[in-house]
């Protein structure tokens, strides 16, 4: 055989084996046309690009074949649960929707599609009959026939995506081949044009068809382009295919957000498939482990993402192949320019396909992410509702019979910490700290493993806020897993095809790096577990501190507790640095291996194989190397995050495996009547071995039963046992099945108004409600409130006095329909007259008639003569007493007539104090507009300027080396063209020609690669230093500001809101925000360098690039305001979610006693809907931006390629400029996206900075001497007026009194009269 044979893109001389020049890709052709198989004559004649264009011609039939395979799979009658549709709106779900208008079907569109498909088939049959020169029409007839078959079978009323895919393949392939053919027009070309028109019309019709089934009603769904309304569901539920593909349905929200700050009323409700009521119900029906249930619920999405990830990976990997064909077409002076333009057009098509696939991938991955996150949040909350209440110190068995822990429950009992233990000494910066951390043992001893502890409130917060995210994030990143693995395989295949066996040397460098990383990863996982435990401890201490901050401030203990928190924080940061360094080590080996990959491969290619490294090999290889490097770098990261997710799943599984409330009694011994009996029953606190109640034999009749006993005798434990909260050890127990009206010893109230607290889960009945208010002596208090019973009382009833809290909690129990009331000492905080009134009107009045009332009290003289039974509890045992023999448990009351008259005649203090609650719970403030420069500056200062200066220099150096490496490769490739006389390449003139000696070129390339890897390693270490420094300083400053804030701040700020900032926002500061900041800095430097490179080649490129930048910025400016509003709304809506968890943990016994679990679960679902809604529409907005940016990037790269083709630039310089231009477009694109993400992340920093500006409690002008207080110093009030905030009315007015030194003074007055206010004033609060 003579001539040349083309193996794909590789030219093999006659007599040479294919293995010497590379492997065949698709087809084989020779320069002798007579021996060429008839696929496409132009491709066969050209040789180059033959296999690629052949693939283009066969694309429609391949797509049709894949569609038929998918249809066959969907036709299988049985599929695993994970591959069935989950929580998707069906026609049967119409009962859950409002009957009304349905989607208007368009019956003519299916007929039109069928007609077009038949017409397209006829055109290709005619082409065959008229004697086409190739077999392409046969394959196209098959594709059209499949289209006709599907249309006849389905008669689609919704957009048929499979038909769209086939029609798009027909249109694009025919258009590409039509442009590539460079000959006079013929009748066959006319048929081809008719087919193109038919395919285009089919695509247009399908894009206009709805996605929603016409049988489903559309009431309650927002029209697509009308102003958003929070009462309507998202337009996503009723879109056409084009509106879904282009994300144009977000336009109304963008229009509102560009004009003003968005509010929650401006945002739609979630779509049907995202609402958590249905998701929670369906998720509960699944069985198995958490992972198995999540896979069953989201399996369909993962399957869709698998397909989308495959399409996206193939589209992106087509770029280097097309680039190689483009460069060869430019080098071939005899080839027409249309040939190169065709490959540019194919590149545009590939990038547009990748663009659309990315948008679809984002939507489906977000759906699986949001669903899985919501399912886990509602699952954790439901578990919290049912889990056994185990005290955090219960395992120590150091508890009293009454449940009062004796270990370190008293804040002051902890040993004070020295400031030096928390704050590094002067000169001990992050570098020295890292050195100390490296002294940690790399293999922690298994003996140090702590026994499994019940989840504390800190751990539950951490599970909800971090571990749930860690698991759900893997569903979101599933497409990247597919893309990485597929890109890895295809990249290796294409690299092998391009340079052959020398690529194995590059793979060897990666294998060595991954072997090292496998060892480091094991160590990383051990320390990651320890870090999470340290975070749990920090959150537990922070939660306890924030919840008790008022009391700690009263006693002056805040500094001691603050130092404990800072010690826990320091331990968390120490472990964070260890894990950060281990991650940096893994990334460094990956980066070094990826840099050495081309060095090793080019060494084998040039030295061992003896082949020249020309432009058409070097630059496509470099692109493939970059793709391969990215895949190889991503794999260890994917493995690490998957293992981290495994840790998170294990923690969630541990929590889900904690024992539930002891239901053994309920299953075995529950009676159906209003009956309570204990026979030789013994109980213990959950998590302990010591019995707290022993051998109880009691029966509680209908009527009032008084339980008395000494402090810590076990009275509260008895009520907890009757509620089923204690572990039943022995004996027989009979308890009622219905709800119980429970009033806890420490009243648990919600951050609602008084009426909502009293009603709880019961419906409002005017008459009964008024009777309860009167019986609980609340009418005088409500009359004094500005808003009456609609007054918001603040978190934990902050706006009420102790007696008012007790009476509201009592009213809640009495108002409930429960036939049994358990009242734990509600009289202790009441004055004598009010207590007496409540005993007679409430406990023994008509409201408790025919109800079993168990009252724990020390004030037995008020009620013993009215009780049917009196029970005394002593040291965990109980006995029934004769009412006449009941000991006097209360203090004697000596209420003088003067004091009584004062309370009756002057209720002014009570009235004024009572006005305070109406002002509680301010709405959480949100900043407007973009994140201010001052916020960025605060973060930069927290990381220290010197570290930032060094870091910027390192980033600039890294970018400079990267540009130099690309230019070096260009010079290397061009040097083969002039072996004897070197071209003027500037820096590399002194190097010999690679035809003579290639080793200096390899050495230079190796040095550049190693230097770049070393600089990158320094970069990673600097990021760790900045993150550590900024995180430590900002957290310390925030906690100090919170610790000394005004008491008004604690009054108006719920604990959940503050914990949201101290967990979520601080977590963002500790997390990837530094890397995001770094990434933006790097992109700025890369963008500037790309502009300089382009400008150095031709001003036309520069002018076009600047115009393109302006277009990117215009789109971005339209996107940014709405995204910022949605991000802030998301962070604000997270606070109620955290508050719900916190409130539930505080009042779990009360909730379960009232059997109100379902109501609280419904409330959490509503809050989760609100939070996830903001997150959902924020990322939908990101999809809107992504679609426009990616489409613009693809079009821009195409136009830049045309500029290079029509300006006569050399092939080598064209390759260099195209890569620079591609980098420019990519960097502009990424810079806008990354800056937007940075703005979103810095919303968290903004919220942290707001805490740094909290108003502080003034320390006072008097600095008392060391001998103060003395034994002869009286406390004197002279005409004092006291108010809780400057804008509130006085709570106490014109107070004048003297408290003699050394005396014991009693403050008397009716509940709510201002006694606590006066006492707090002595603490200067």
């Amino acid at each position: 055989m003579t001539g040349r044979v083309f193996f794909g893109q590789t030219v093999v001389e006659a007599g040479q084996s294919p293995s010497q020049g590379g492997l065949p890709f698709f087809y084989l052709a020779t320069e002798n046309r007579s021996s060429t198989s008839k696929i496409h004559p132009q491709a066969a004649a050209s040789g180059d690009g033959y296999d690629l264009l052949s693939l283009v011609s066969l694309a429609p039939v391949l797509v049709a074949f894949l569609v038929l395979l998918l249809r066959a799979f969907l036709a299988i009658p049985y599929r695993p649960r994970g591959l069935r549709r989950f929580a998707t709106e069906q026609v049967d779900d119409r009962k859950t929707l409002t009957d009304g208008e349905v989607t208007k079907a368009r019956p003519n569109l299916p007929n039109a599609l069928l007609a077009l498909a038949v017409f397209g088939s006829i055109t290709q049959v005619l082409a065959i009959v008229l004697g086409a020169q190739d077999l392409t029409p046969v394959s196209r007839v098959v594709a059209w026939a499949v289209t006709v078959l599907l249309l006849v079978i389905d008669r689609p009323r919704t957009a048929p995506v499979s038909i769209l895919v086939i029609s798009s393949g027909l249109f694009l392939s025919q258009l590409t081949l039509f442009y590539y053919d460079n000959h006079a027009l013929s009748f066959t070309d006319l048929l081809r044009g008719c087919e193109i028109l038919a395919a285009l019309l089919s695509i247009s019709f399908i894009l206009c068809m709805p996605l929603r089934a016409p049988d489903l009603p559309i009431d309650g769904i927002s029209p697509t382009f009308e102003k958003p309304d929070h009462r309507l569901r998202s337009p996503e539920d009723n879109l056409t295919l084009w509106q879904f593909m282009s994300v144009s349905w977000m336009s109304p929200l963008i229009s509102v957000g560009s004009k003003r700050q968005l509010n929650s009323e401006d945002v739609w409700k979630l779509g049907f498939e995202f609402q958590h009521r249905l998701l929670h119900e369906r998720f509960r029906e699944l069985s198995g482990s958490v992972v198995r249930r999540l896979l069953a619920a989201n399996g369909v999405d993962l399957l869709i993402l698998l397909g989308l990830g495959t399409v996206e990976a193939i589209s992106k990997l087509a770029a280097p192949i097309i680039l190689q064909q483009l460069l060869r077409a430019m080098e071939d002076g005899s080839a027409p320019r249309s040939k190169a333009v065709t490959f540019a057009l194919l590149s545009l098509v590939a990038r547009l396909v990748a663009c659309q696939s990315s948008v679809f991938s984002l939507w489906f991955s977000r759906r699986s992410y949001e669903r899985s996150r919501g399912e886990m949040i509602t699952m954790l909350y439901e578990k919290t509702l049912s889990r056994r209440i185990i005290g955090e110190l219960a395992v120590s068995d150091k508890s009293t019979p009454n449940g009062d822990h004796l270990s370190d429950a008293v804040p002051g009992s902890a040993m004070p910490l020295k400031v030096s233990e928390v704050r590094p000494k002067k000169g001990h910066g992050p570098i020295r700290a890292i050195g100390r951390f490296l002294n940690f043992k790399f293999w922690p001893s298994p003996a140090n493993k702590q026994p499994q502890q019940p989840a504390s409130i800190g751990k539950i917060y951490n599970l909800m806020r971090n571990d749930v995210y860690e698991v759900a994030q893997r569903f979101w990143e599933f497409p990247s897993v597919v893309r990485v693995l597929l890109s890895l395989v295809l990249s290796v295949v294409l690299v092998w095809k391009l340079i052959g066996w020398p690529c194995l040397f590059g793979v060897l460098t990666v294998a060595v790096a991954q072997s090292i990383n496998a060892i480091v990863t094991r160590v990383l996982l051990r320390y990651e577990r320890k870090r999470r435990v340290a975070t749990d401890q920090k959150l537990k201490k922070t939660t306890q501190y924030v919840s008790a901050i008022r009391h700690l401030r009263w006693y002056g203990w805040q500094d001691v507790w603050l130092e404990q928190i800072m010690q826990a924080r320091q331990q968390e940061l120490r472990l964070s640095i260890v894990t950060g360094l281990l991650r940096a080590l893994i990334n460094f080996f990956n980066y070094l291996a990826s840099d050495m990959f081309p060095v090793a491969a080019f060494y084998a290619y040039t030295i061992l194989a003896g082949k020249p490294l020309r432009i058409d090999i070097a630059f496509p290889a470099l692109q493939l190397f970059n793709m391969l490097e990215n895949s190889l770098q991503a794999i260890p990261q994917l493995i690490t995050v998957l293992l981290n997710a495994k840790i998170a799943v294990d923690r969630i599984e541990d929590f889900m495996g904690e024992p539930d409330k002891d239901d053994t009694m309920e299953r075995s011994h529950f009676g159906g009547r209003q009956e309570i009996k204990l026979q030789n029953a013994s109980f213990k606190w959950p998590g302990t071995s010591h019995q707290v109640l022993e051998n109880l034999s009691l029966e509680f009749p209908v009527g009032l039963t008084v339980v008395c006993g000494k402090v810590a005798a076990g009275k509260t434990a008895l009520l907890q046992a009757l509620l089923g909260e204690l572990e039943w050890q022995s004996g027989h127990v009979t308890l009622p099945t219905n709800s119980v009206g429970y009033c806890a010893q420490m009243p648990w109230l919600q951050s609602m108004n008084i009426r909502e607290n009293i009603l709880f889960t019961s419906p409002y009945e005017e008459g009964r409600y008024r009777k309860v208010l009167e019986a609980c002596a609340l009418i005088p208090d409500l009359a004094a409130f500005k808003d009456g019973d609609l007054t918001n009382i603040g978190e934990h009833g902050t706006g009420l006095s102790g007696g008012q809290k007790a009476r509201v909690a009592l009213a809640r129990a009495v108002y409930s329909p429960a036939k049994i009331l358990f009242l734990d000492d509600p009289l202790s905080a009441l004055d004598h007259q009010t207590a007496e009134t409540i005993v007679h009107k409430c406990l023994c009045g008509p409201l408790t008639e025919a109800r079993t009332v168990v009252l724990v009290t020390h004030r037995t003289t008020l009620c013993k003569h009215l009780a049917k039974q009196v029970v005394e509890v002593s040291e965990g045992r109980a006995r029934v007493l004769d009412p006449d023999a009941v000991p006097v448990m209360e203090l004697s009351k000596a209420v003088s007539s003067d004091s009584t008259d004062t309370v009756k005649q002057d209720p002014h203090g009570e009235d004024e104090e009572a006005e305070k609650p109406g002002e509680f719970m301010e709405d959480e403030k949100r900043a407007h507009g973009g994140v201010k420069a001052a916020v960025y500056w605060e973060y930069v200062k927290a990381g220290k300027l010197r570290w930032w200066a060094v870091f910027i220099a390192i980033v600039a150096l890294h970018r400079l080396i990267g540009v130099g490496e690309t230019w070096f490769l260009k010079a290397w490739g061009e040097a083969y063209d002039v072996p004897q006389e070197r071209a003027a390449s500037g820096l590399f003139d002194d190097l010999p020609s690679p035809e003579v000696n290639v080793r200096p070129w390899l050495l230079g390339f190796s040095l550049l690669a190693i230097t770049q890897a070393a600089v990158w390693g320094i970069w990673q270490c600097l990021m760790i230093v900045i993150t550590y420094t900024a995180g430590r300083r900002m957290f310390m400053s925030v906690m100090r500001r919170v610790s000394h804030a005004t008491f008004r701040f604690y009054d108006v700020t719920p604990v959940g809101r503050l914990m949201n900032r101290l967990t979520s926002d601080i977590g963002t500061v500790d997390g990837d925000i530094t890397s995001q900041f770094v990434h933006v800095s790097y992109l700025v430097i890369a963008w500037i360098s790309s502009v300089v490179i382009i400008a150095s080649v031709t001003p036309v490129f520069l002018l076009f690039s600047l115009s393109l930048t302006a277009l990117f910025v215009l789109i971005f400016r339209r996107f940014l305001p709405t995204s910022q509003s949605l991000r802030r709304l998301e962070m604000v809506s997270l606070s109620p979610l955290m508050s719900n968890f916190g409130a539930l943990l505080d009042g779990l016994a009360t909730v379960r006693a009232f059997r109100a679990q379902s109501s609280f679960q419904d409330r959490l679902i509503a809050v989760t809907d609100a939070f996830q809604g903001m997150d959902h529409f924020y990322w939908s907005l990101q999809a809107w931006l992504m679609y426009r940016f990616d489409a613009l990037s693809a079009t821009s790269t195409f136009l830049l390629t045309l500029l290079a083709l029509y300006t006569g630039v050399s092939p080598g310089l064209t390759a260099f400029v195209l890569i620079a231009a591609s980098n420019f477009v990519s960097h502009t694109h990424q810079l806008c996206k990354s800056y937007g993400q940075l703005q979103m992340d810095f919303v968290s920093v903004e919220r942290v900075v707001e805490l740094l500006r909290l108003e502080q409690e003034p320390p006072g002008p008097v600095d008392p001497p060391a001998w103060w207080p003395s034994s002869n110093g009286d406390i004197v009030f002279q005409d004092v007026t006291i108010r809780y905030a400057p804008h509130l009315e006085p709570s106490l007015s014109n107070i004048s009194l003297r408290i003699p030194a050394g005396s014991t003074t009693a403050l008397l007055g009716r509940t709510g009269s201002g006694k606590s206010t006066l006492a707090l004033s002595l603490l200067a609060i």
Side-chain angles (χ1 to χ4, degrees), residues 58-74:
L58 291 177
V61 72
L62 294 176
V63 170
F65 178 71
L66 292 176
V67 168
L68 290 177
L69 282 180
L70 181 61
R71 289 294 299 266
F73 172 76
L74 295 177

Side-chain angles (χ1 to χ4, degrees), residues 596 599 961 1002-1013:
M596 296 307 296
V599 172
I961 296 173
L1002 277 171
L1003 180 61
F1005 194 67
S1006 303
L1007 291 176
L1008 285 171
I1010 294 172
T1011 304
Q1012 191 173 26

Side-chain angles (χ1 to χ4, degrees), residues 88 122 199 241 334 379 446 468 590 650 999 1153 1241 1276 1302:
T88 302
I122 292 173
L241 181 57
S334 62
M379 174 190 71
V468 163
N590 288 331
D650 290 342
R999 293 182 184 275
D1241 289 342
V1276 180

Side-chain angles (χ1 to χ4, degrees), residues 956-1147:
L957 178 61
H958 182 272
R959 175 58 181 166
L960 181 63
I961 296 173
V963 173
E965 190 177 26
T966 306
W967 186 264
F968 184 87
L969 194 60
K970 167 199 169 289
W972 187 356
E974 287 183 338
Y976 285 98
D977 297 331
V978 281
Q980 301 300 328
E981 183 178 344
R982 290 296 320 279
S985 57
L987 297 174
F988 314 114
D989 288 341
D990 296 333
L991 294 178
S993 170
E995 294 260 274
V996 178
N997 184 8
V998 76
R999 293 182 184 275
W1001 293 92
L1002 277 171
L1003 180 61
F1005 194 67
S1006 303
L1007 291 176
L1008 285 171
I1010 294 172
T1011 304
Q1012 191 173 26
V1015 171
W1016 193 87
I1018 298 172
W1019 173 347
Q1020 295 298 301
C1021 291
L1022 283 172
M1023 282 178 55
I1024 295 174
V1025 170
I1026 292 173
T1027 302
Y1028 164 80
T1029 306
R1032 181 181 61 83
R1033 295 180 71 185
M1034 292 195 80
F1035 184 81
M1036 182 181 295
S1037 300
V1038 164
M1039 291 305 300
R1040 285 176 178 169
R1041 299 294 291 185
V1042 170
S1043 299
H1044 297 91
T1046 62
F1047 278 80
R1048 178 66 181 171
F1049 171 75
Y1050 307 139
D1051 291 340
V1052 301
T1053 305
V1055 170
R1057 182 187 302 173
L1058 188 54
M1059 285 302 301
N1060 184 19
R1061 300 202 180 199
L1062 295 178
T1063 55
S1064 301
D1065 297 320
I1066 289 291
T1068 303
V1069 173
D1070 290 343
D1072 292 335
I1073 193 167
T1074 300
S1075 61
Q1076 193 69 246
F1077 200 80
V1078 168
H1079 187 53
V1080 171
S1081 304
Y1082 176 78
L1083 288 174
V1084 170
I1085 295 173
W1087 185 88
I1088 293 173
S1089 63
S1090 298
V1091 171
V1092 171
I1093 292 169
I1094 292 172
S1096 65
V1097 176
T1098 172
V1100 177
F1101 279 82
L1102 179 61
L1103 181 62
F1104 180 81
S1105 300
L1106 294 178
S1107 302
L1108 180 62
T1109 302
L1111 194 54
F1112 273 114
V1113 171
L1114 285 176
I1115 297 174
F1116 182 70
R1117 284 175 61 86
R1118 182 165 172 78
F1119 153 85
L1120 190 58
T1122 306
S1123 66
Q1124 289 170 335
S1125 293
L1126 287 172
R1127 181 64 170 174
R1128 290 185 176 116
L1129 283 172
E1130 177 193 349
M1131 299 307 298
V1132 168
S1133 60
L1134 179 60
S1135 297
L1137 182 62
M1138 301 193 71
S1139 294
N1140 267 275
F1141 271 89
L1144 176 65
L1145 292 169
D1146 291 337

